[in-house]
Amino acid sequence: MRNNLRYFAEIVFLMSKNFVILAHPRSGSTTLFNIFASQGVKIICEPFNSHSDTNYLDFWGKNGFTSALDLIFSKYDGMKHLFSFTTHEQNIELISRCKTILLYRINLIDAALSFELAVKTNVWVDCDRYKNYDEQKVYLNPDAILRSEEHTSE
């Protein structure tokens, strides 16, 4: 265990400035974000998510994407970001200017099912799980899952 922590500490040190966790939904990015944050790394979660408490969308709209990244990296060492929050070109700009940890699920159907289940139950990470989670009956719409899978594979 001690060797694992030392290895992790070295990774945190190497990633300590201007890095991004670039991820597909339901790929473990929140868990990785929480690990970095627990080690004292100044990291922001999903700054371009309109549902986030700490979003930079207004600043981005007024000043441009590059200026928003400049501001974020002046305050934080890293960020967790989902592909779908920005365009392909903006994602390319993001990874061209900082170290990148890329997370995705190989099985896109699993990712789509996980996403739809999270939407239906409002349980996004295991620590949100409430006691009767396993007893809930949830209807998953196959069309919604396929749309989610198509969106994830873009």
Side-chain angles (χ1 to χ4, degrees):
M1 180 68 133
R2 184 172 289 214
N3 287 337
N4 290 342
L5 291 175
R6 181 175 294 139
Y7 177 71
F8 180 75
E10 289 174 13
I11 291 173
V12 169
F13 176 75
L14 291 172
M15 299 300 296
S16 63
K17 282 287 185 188
N18 289 353
F19 73 93
V20 62
I21 301 168
L22 185 60
H24 283 142
R26 316 305 301 155
S27 62
S29 58
T30 299
T31 299
L32 186 57
F33 166 86
N34 288 332
I35 290 170
F36 277 113
S38 74
Q39 297 300 306
V41 176
K42 290 172 45 180
I43 183 170
I44 186 170
C45 188
E46 301 177 6
F48 302 117
N49 179 348
S50 61
H51 302 292
S52 171
D53 294 337
T54 56
N55 77 63
Y56 281 72
L57 295 174
D58 288 339
F59 185 87
W60 173 11
K62 293 175 187 170
N63 302 289
F65 184 69
T66 301
S67 294
L69 291 179
D70 291 341
L71 180 60
I72 290 166
F73 286 122
S74 73
K75 295 180 176 185
Y76 299 95
D77 297 326
M79 65 187 268
K80 174 196 167 205
H81 174 67
L82 300 183
F83 284 97
S84 58
F85 294 148
T86 52
T87 67
H88 177 73
E89 291 76 19
Q90 290 162 333
N91 288 329
I92 295 296
E93 179 180 348
L94 180 59
I95 63 175
S96 69
R97 64 183 284 168
C98 58
K99 300 170 196 140
T100 304
I101 299 171
L102 178 63
L103 295 178
Y104 63 94
R105 286 175 90 154
I106 293 172
N107 187 325
L108 296 180
I109 298 297
D110 281 352
L113 284 169
S114 178
F115 180 79
E116 285 303 310
L117 188 60
V119 167
K120 296 286 186 178
T121 62
N122 201 30
V123 175
W124 293 95
V125 292
D126 280 343
C127 60
D128 290 340
R129 187 179 293 194
Y130 42 88
K131 292 180 183 175
N132 65 349
Y133 173 80
D134 293 326
E135 298 171 8
Q136 279 192 28
K137 292 184 179 170
V138 176
Y139 172 74
L140 296 176
N141 182 334
D143 292 333
I145 293 168
L146 290 174
R147 281 192 305 277
S148 177
E149 188 274 335
E150 288 171 0
H151 179 71
T152 302
S153 64
E154 292 178 349

